[in-house]
Amino acid sequence: DQQVKQNSPSLSVQEGRISILNCDYTNSMFDYFLWYKKYPAEGPTFLISISSIKDKNEDGRFTVFLNKSAKHLSLHIVPSQPGDSAVYFCAASGFGGGGGADGLTFGKGTHLIIQP
Amino acid sequence: KAGVTQTPRYLIKTRGQQVTLSCSPISGHRSVSWYQQTPGQGLQFLFEYFSETQRNKGNFPGRFSGRQFSNSRSEMNVSTLELGDSALYLCASSLASQGNNSPLHFGNGTRLTVT
């Protein structure tokens, strides 16, 4: 049973526009959420995180929104750039960013394609 | 600051053999975690080490084991390899263990192929 779901396997966005990646979770014990970006043949790169005491966190072009009641989070990238083309993973933890009893739980990823 | 370093990058083994993968964390990071990535299952947690002690373990058989040394470097061992063990094995380090909002930083992984 997937506790972290990314329902869109792929997403295509025009360069300069906003990219919105979505993630849903089912485990109410999750209290820390992270987004990672992954290029082929490389490990995931940490982008941004948010704890459950907040509903928004910004870092440059990246903003993560958390809706605890809906068990939903999203990553906004504005403006989208060609280098943003990659697979994006949503991850969750029950104890904090280092991993809970089961480590980080990852979604299956969304392949973001930025069109020129 | 150097990132997480994993060696080797690629490995080919045959069924029944055993393999050891190595990971050097970011300087100053004391927590090392291991993950397995496969096309079907995605990224799955194997185990976490902090100060040479295994803190957490995922749902993997006992053939998967690891250890951490006093310099925080870690090794992961898989014995009696099976075809299904073919995967990308990722190591990640963080400043603190569970219970702290300290994100994991991943290496580029070791691609293991079992034939």
Side-chain angles (χ1 to χ4, degrees):
Chain A
D1 180 33
Q2 268 190 279
Q3 296 187 68
V4 177
K5 295 181 185 178
Q6 294 176 257
N7 291 319
S8 299
S10 66
L11 175 67
S12 184
V13 174
Q14 206 164 11
E15 182 180 355
R17 299 287 186 103
I18 182 172
S19 294
I20 300 176
L21 297 108
N22 293 302
C23 179
D24 296 297
Y25 62 96
T26 57
N27 189 339
S28 57
M29 295 301 293
F30 288 147
D31 65 357
Y32 190 65
F33 304 89
L34 308 91
W35 284 95
Y36 285 85
K37 176 169 82 170
K38 189 178 185 301
Y39 294 120
E42 292 184 12
T45 300
F46 169 70
L47 280 176
I48 193 168
S49 62
I50 188 168
S51 77
S52 59
I53 62 173
K54 293 186 174 181
D55 54 20
K56 178 183 172 181
N57 189 27
E58 272 182 276
D59 185 359
R61 296 186 299 116
F62 301 94
T63 303
V64 56
F65 295 92
L66 175 63
N67 183 334
K68 290 185 288 294
S69 60
K71 293 192 176 68
H72 176 85
L73 65 154
S74 61
L75 174 68
H76 293 209
I77 307 173
V78 183
S80 300
Q81 298 174 354
D84 296 331
S85 294
V87 177
Y88 288 78
F89 291 95
C90 168
S93 170
F95 293 93
D102 298 317
L104 285 181
T105 301
F106 282 85
K108 293 288 178 75
T110 296
H111 186 194
L112 176 64
I113 301 160
I114 305 301
Q115 306 275 14
Chain B
K1 207 178 211 184
V4 177
T5 305
Q6 291 188 246
T7 56
R9 284 298 307 272
Y10 302 93
L11 209 45
I12 300 175
K13 291 284 188 179
T14 55
R15 275 182 301 175
Q17 286 187 312
Q18 68 95 28
V19 67
T20 299
L21 313 181
S22 182
C23 172
S24 292
I26 292 171
S27 178
H29 285 194
R30 295 170 62 193
S31 170
V32 173
S33 300
W34 289 89
Y35 286 78
Q36 180 196 65
Q37 185 181 24
T38 58
Q41 299 298 318
L43 277 151
Q44 291 189 289
F45 172 69
L46 281 156
F47 28 66
E48 179 198 4
Y49 287 86
F50 184 82
S51 294
E52 302 177 67
T53 302
Q54 186 179 89
R55 298 294 291 261
N56 300 302
K57 191 175 187 336
N59 189 24
F60 279 82
R63 299 185 297 106
F64 291 81
S65 63
R67 58 178 175 167
Q68 187 181 33
F69 303 96
S70 58
N71 61 359
S72 293
R73 194 177 68 83
S74 176
E75 286 182 348
M76 188 192 109
N77 186 76
V78 188
S79 62
T80 321
L81 284 165
E82 300 177 359
L83 294 178
D85 296 334
S86 294
L88 179 66
Y89 290 89
L90 290 159
C91 171
S93 73
S94 64
L95 277 170
S97 183
Q98 65 182 42
N100 296 282
N101 289 355
S102 179
L104 298 183
H105 298 272
F106 286 85
N108 286 331
T110 294
R111 171 72 62 185
L112 172 66
T113 303
V114 182
T115 61

PDB file of all heavy atoms in Angstrom, chain A residues 76-100:
ATOM      1  N   HIS A  76       5.881  24.080  -6.342  1.00  0.00           N
ATOM      2  CA  HIS A  76       5.735  25.042  -7.422  1.00  0.00           C
ATOM      3  C   HIS A  76       7.121  25.512  -7.857  1.00  0.00           C
ATOM      4  O   HIS A  76       7.957  25.880  -6.998  1.00  0.00           O
ATOM      5  CB  HIS A  76       4.909  26.248  -6.973  1.00  0.00           C
ATOM      6  CG  HIS A  76       3.475  25.919  -6.691  1.00  0.00           C
ATOM      7  ND1 HIS A  76       2.467  26.833  -6.849  1.00  0.00           N
ATOM      8  CD2 HIS A  76       2.883  24.769  -6.278  1.00  0.00           C
ATOM      9  CE1 HIS A  76       1.304  26.267  -6.537  1.00  0.00           C
ATOM     10  NE2 HIS A  76       1.528  25.021  -6.189  1.00  0.00           N
ATOM     11  N   ILE A  77       7.340  25.518  -9.156  1.00  0.00           N
ATOM     12  CA  ILE A  77       8.603  26.012  -9.709  1.00  0.00           C
ATOM     13  C   ILE A  77       8.264  27.185 -10.641  1.00  0.00           C
ATOM     14  O   ILE A  77       7.552  27.002 -11.631  1.00  0.00           O
ATOM     15  CB  ILE A  77       9.349  24.915 -10.490  1.00  0.00           C
ATOM     16  CG1 ILE A  77       9.532  23.660  -9.642  1.00  0.00           C
ATOM     17  CG2 ILE A  77      10.719  25.426 -10.959  1.00  0.00           C
ATOM     18  CD1 ILE A  77      10.104  22.465 -10.398  1.00  0.00           C
ATOM     19  N   VAL A  78       8.753  28.372 -10.278  1.00  0.00           N
ATOM     20  CA  VAL A  78       8.450  29.568 -11.058  1.00  0.00           C
ATOM     21  C   VAL A  78       9.694  30.448 -11.185  1.00  0.00           C
ATOM     22  O   VAL A  78      10.260  30.824 -10.158  1.00  0.00           O
ATOM     23  CB  VAL A  78       7.327  30.406 -10.396  1.00  0.00           C
ATOM     24  CG1 VAL A  78       6.978  31.606 -11.267  1.00  0.00           C
ATOM     25  CG2 VAL A  78       6.104  29.573 -10.127  1.00  0.00           C
ATOM     26  N   PRO A  79      10.106  30.847 -12.412  1.00  0.00           N
ATOM     27  CA  PRO A  79       9.637  30.305 -13.681  1.00  0.00           C
ATOM     28  C   PRO A  79      10.348  28.993 -13.999  1.00  0.00           C
ATOM     29  O   PRO A  79      11.471  28.769 -13.544  1.00  0.00           O
ATOM     30  CB  PRO A  79      10.056  31.397 -14.671  1.00  0.00           C
ATOM     31  CG  PRO A  79      11.309  31.958 -14.067  1.00  0.00           C
ATOM     32  CD  PRO A  79      11.136  31.884 -12.578  1.00  0.00           C
ATOM     33  N   SER A  80       9.742  28.152 -14.775  1.00  0.00           N
ATOM     34  CA  SER A  80      10.362  26.884 -15.140  1.00  0.00           C
ATOM     35  C   SER A  80      11.471  27.113 -16.164  1.00  0.00           C
ATOM     36  O   SER A  80      11.335  27.932 -17.077  1.00  0.00           O
ATOM     37  CB  SER A  80       9.307  25.937 -15.745  1.00  0.00           C
ATOM     38  OG  SER A  80       8.289  25.692 -14.807  1.00  0.00           O
ATOM     39  N   GLN A  81      12.561  26.374 -15.982  1.00  0.00           N
ATOM     40  CA  GLN A  81      13.722  26.511 -16.862  1.00  0.00           C
ATOM     41  C   GLN A  81      14.063  25.143 -17.465  1.00  0.00           C
ATOM     42  O   GLN A  81      13.741  24.106 -16.861  1.00  0.00           O
ATOM     43  CB  GLN A  81      14.922  27.039 -16.069  1.00  0.00           C
ATOM     44  CG  GLN A  81      14.700  28.408 -15.474  1.00  0.00           C
ATOM     45  CD  GLN A  81      15.844  28.852 -14.572  1.00  0.00           C
ATOM     46  OE1 GLN A  81      16.771  28.088 -14.290  1.00  0.00           O
ATOM     47  NE2 GLN A  81      15.782  30.105 -14.127  1.00  0.00           N
ATOM     48  N   PRO A  82      14.744  25.122 -18.609  1.00  0.00           N
ATOM     49  CA  PRO A  82      15.077  23.828 -19.241  1.00  0.00           C
ATOM     50  C   PRO A  82      15.829  22.875 -18.307  1.00  0.00           C
ATOM     51  O   PRO A  82      15.595  21.672 -18.327  1.00  0.00           O
ATOM     52  CB  PRO A  82      15.951  24.250 -20.434  1.00  0.00           C
ATOM     53  CG  PRO A  82      15.499  25.627 -20.764  1.00  0.00           C
ATOM     54  CD  PRO A  82      15.147  26.266 -19.427  1.00  0.00           C
ATOM     55  N   GLY A  83      16.707  23.423 -17.455  1.00  0.00           N
ATOM     56  CA  GLY A  83      17.459  22.583 -16.517  1.00  0.00           C
ATOM     57  C   GLY A  83      16.603  21.939 -15.449  1.00  0.00           C
ATOM     58  O   GLY A  83      17.080  21.070 -14.716  1.00  0.00           O
ATOM     59  N   ASP A  84      15.337  22.349 -15.354  1.00  0.00           N
ATOM     60  CA  ASP A  84      14.424  21.745 -14.382  1.00  0.00           C
ATOM     61  C   ASP A  84      13.885  20.402 -14.869  1.00  0.00           C
ATOM     62  O   ASP A  84      13.244  19.686 -14.102  1.00  0.00           O
ATOM     63  CB  ASP A  84      13.249  22.679 -14.094  1.00  0.00           C
ATOM     64  CG  ASP A  84      13.682  23.982 -13.432  1.00  0.00           C
ATOM     65  OD1 ASP A  84      14.702  23.982 -12.709  1.00  0.00           O
ATOM     66  OD2 ASP A  84      12.994  25.004 -13.650  1.00  0.00           O
ATOM     67  N   SER A  85      14.117  20.080 -16.128  1.00  0.00           N
ATOM     68  CA  SER A  85      13.654  18.796 -16.663  1.00  0.00           C
ATOM     69  C   SER A  85      14.367  17.661 -15.929  1.00  0.00           C
ATOM     70  O   SER A  85      15.588  17.540 -15.995  1.00  0.00           O
ATOM     71  CB  SER A  85      13.944  18.700 -18.167  1.00  0.00           C
ATOM     72  OG  SER A  85      13.189  19.647 -18.892  1.00  0.00           O
ATOM     73  N   ALA A  86      13.603  16.857 -15.212  1.00  0.00           N
ATOM     74  CA  ALA A  86      14.149  15.796 -14.363  1.00  0.00           C
ATOM     75  C   ALA A  86      12.971  15.024 -13.770  1.00  0.00           C
ATOM     76  O   ALA A  86      11.813  15.369 -14.001  1.00  0.00           O
ATOM     77  CB  ALA A  86      14.998  16.380 -13.241  1.00  0.00           C
ATOM     78  N   VAL A  87      13.276  13.988 -12.992  1.00  0.00           N
ATOM     79  CA  VAL A  87      12.240  13.290 -12.237  1.00  0.00           C
ATOM     80  C   VAL A  87      12.217  13.874 -10.821  1.00  0.00           C
ATOM     81  O   VAL A  87      13.274  14.017 -10.200  1.00  0.00           O
ATOM     82  CB  VAL A  87      12.492  11.773 -12.188  1.00  0.00           C
ATOM     83  CG1 VAL A  87      11.430  11.087 -11.340  1.00  0.00           C
ATOM     84  CG2 VAL A  87      12.506  11.202 -13.598  1.00  0.00           C
ATOM     85  N   TYR A  88      11.035  14.210 -10.346  1.00  0.00           N
ATOM     86  CA  TYR A  88      10.877  14.806  -9.020  1.00  0.00           C
ATOM     87  C   TYR A  88      10.202  13.805  -8.089  1.00  0.00           C
ATOM     88  O   TYR A  88       9.151  13.242  -8.409  1.00  0.00           O
ATOM     89  CB  TYR A  88      10.043  16.086  -9.112  1.00  0.00           C
ATOM     90  CG  TYR A  88      10.820  17.208  -9.752  1.00  0.00           C
ATOM     91  CD1 TYR A  88      10.987  17.247 -11.134  1.00  0.00           C
ATOM     92  CD2 TYR A  88      11.412  18.209  -8.979  1.00  0.00           C
ATOM     93  CE1 TYR A  88      11.729  18.251 -11.736  1.00  0.00           C
ATOM     94  CE2 TYR A  88      12.146  19.222  -9.580  1.00  0.00           C
ATOM     95  CZ  TYR A  88      12.303  19.233 -10.954  1.00  0.00           C
ATOM     96  OH  TYR A  88      13.043  20.234 -11.548  1.00  0.00           O
ATOM     97  N   PHE A  89      10.826  13.609  -6.932  1.00  0.00           N
ATOM     98  CA  PHE A  89      10.300  12.691  -5.936  1.00  0.00           C
ATOM     99  C   PHE A  89       9.830  13.450  -4.706  1.00  0.00           C
ATOM    100  O   PHE A  89      10.542  14.322  -4.199  1.00  0.00           O
ATOM    101  CB  PHE A  89      11.368  11.681  -5.500  1.00  0.00           C
ATOM    102  CG  PHE A  89      11.755  10.686  -6.555  1.00  0.00           C
ATOM    103  CD1 PHE A  89      12.853  10.921  -7.371  1.00  0.00           C
ATOM    104  CD2 PHE A  89      11.014   9.523  -6.732  1.00  0.00           C
ATOM    105  CE1 PHE A  89      13.213   9.999  -8.358  1.00  0.00           C
ATOM    106  CE2 PHE A  89      11.373   8.602  -7.712  1.00  0.00           C
ATOM    107  CZ  PHE A  89      12.466   8.852  -8.519  1.00  0.00           C
ATOM    108  N   CYS A  90       8.684  13.083  -4.231  1.00  0.00           N
ATOM    109  CA  CYS A  90       8.164  13.552  -2.967  1.00  0.00           C
ATOM    110  C   CYS A  90       8.525  12.494  -1.927  1.00  0.00           C
ATOM    111  O   CYS A  90       8.495  11.289  -2.224  1.00  0.00           O
ATOM    112  CB  CYS A  90       6.654  13.684  -3.115  1.00  0.00           C
ATOM    113  SG  CYS A  90       5.732  13.916  -1.625  1.00  0.00           S
ATOM    114  N   ALA A  91       8.914  12.917  -0.718  1.00  0.00           N
ATOM    115  CA  ALA A  91       9.263  11.961   0.336  1.00  0.00           C
ATOM    116  C   ALA A  91       8.694  12.453   1.658  1.00  0.00           C
ATOM    117  O   ALA A  91       8.498  13.654   1.863  1.00  0.00           O
ATOM    118  CB  ALA A  91      10.778  11.789   0.433  1.00  0.00           C
ATOM    119  N   ALA A  92       8.431  11.520   2.556  1.00  0.00           N
ATOM    120  CA  ALA A  92       7.846  11.861   3.845  1.00  0.00           C
ATOM    121  C   ALA A  92       8.515  11.062   4.956  1.00  0.00           C
ATOM    122  O   ALA A  92       9.012   9.956   4.739  1.00  0.00           O
ATOM    123  CB  ALA A  92       6.338  11.600   3.832  1.00  0.00           C
ATOM    124  N   SER A  93       8.478  11.661   6.145  1.00  0.00           N
ATOM    125  CA  SER A  93       9.094  11.028   7.310  1.00  0.00           C
ATOM    126  C   SER A  93       8.208  11.214   8.524  1.00  0.00           C
ATOM    127  O   SER A  93       7.541  12.240   8.660  1.00  0.00           O
ATOM    128  CB  SER A  93      10.454  11.656   7.570  1.00  0.00           C
ATOM    129  OG  SER A  93      10.970  11.225   8.799  1.00  0.00           O
ATOM    130  N   GLY A  94       8.259  10.214   9.446  1.00  0.00           N
ATOM    131  CA  GLY A  94       7.422  10.293  10.631  1.00  0.00           C
ATOM    132  C   GLY A  94       8.100  10.908  11.827  1.00  0.00           C
ATOM    133  O   GLY A  94       7.483  11.242  12.807  1.00  0.00           O
ATOM    134  N   PHE A  95       9.438  11.086  11.724  1.00  0.00           N
ATOM    135  CA  PHE A  95      10.141  11.589  12.900  1.00  0.00           C
ATOM    136  C   PHE A  95      10.951  12.828  12.608  1.00  0.00           C
ATOM    137  O   PHE A  95      11.517  13.399  13.502  1.00  0.00           O
ATOM    138  CB  PHE A  95      11.090  10.515  13.444  1.00  0.00           C
ATOM    139  CG  PHE A  95      10.383   9.326  14.003  1.00  0.00           C
ATOM    140  CD1 PHE A  95      10.136   8.233  13.196  1.00  0.00           C
ATOM    141  CD2 PHE A  95       9.949   9.302  15.299  1.00  0.00           C
ATOM    142  CE1 PHE A  95       9.489   7.119  13.686  1.00  0.00           C
ATOM    143  CE2 PHE A  95       9.289   8.190  15.801  1.00  0.00           C
ATOM    144  CZ  PHE A  95       9.065   7.100  14.996  1.00  0.00           C
ATOM    145  N   GLY A  96      10.998  13.223  11.346  1.00  0.00           N
ATOM    146  CA  GLY A  96      11.885  14.322  10.976  1.00  0.00           C
ATOM    147  C   GLY A  96      12.686  13.905   9.768  1.00  0.00           C
ATOM    148  O   GLY A  96      12.625  12.788   9.338  1.00  0.00           O
ATOM    149  N   GLY A  97      13.474  14.801   9.209  1.00  0.00           N
ATOM    150  CA  GLY A  97      14.060  14.589   7.891  1.00  0.00           C
ATOM    151  C   GLY A  97      15.021  13.441   7.767  1.00  0.00           C
ATOM    152  O   GLY A  97      15.260  12.954   6.682  1.00  0.00           O
ATOM    153  N   GLY A  98      15.593  12.985   8.864  1.00  0.00           N
ATOM    154  CA  GLY A  98      16.594  11.941   8.733  1.00  0.00           C
ATOM    155  C   GLY A  98      16.014  10.565   8.517  1.00  0.00           C
ATOM    156  O   GLY A  98      16.710   9.634   8.229  1.00  0.00           O
ATOM    157  N   GLY A  99      14.718  10.449   8.694  1.00  0.00           N
ATOM    158  CA  GLY A  99      14.094   9.138   8.493  1.00  0.00           C
ATOM    159  C   GLY A  99      13.482   8.622   9.778  1.00  0.00           C
ATOM    160  O   GLY A  99      14.094   8.683  10.822  1.00  0.00           O
ATOM    161  N   GLY A 100      12.266   8.141   9.686  1.00  0.00           N
ATOM    162  CA  GLY A 100      11.610   7.565  10.861  1.00  0.00           C
ATOM    163  C   GLY A 100      11.887   6.093  10.955  1.00  0.00           C
ATOM    164  O   GLY A 100      12.884   5.614  10.432  1.00  0.00           O
TER     165      GLY A 100
END
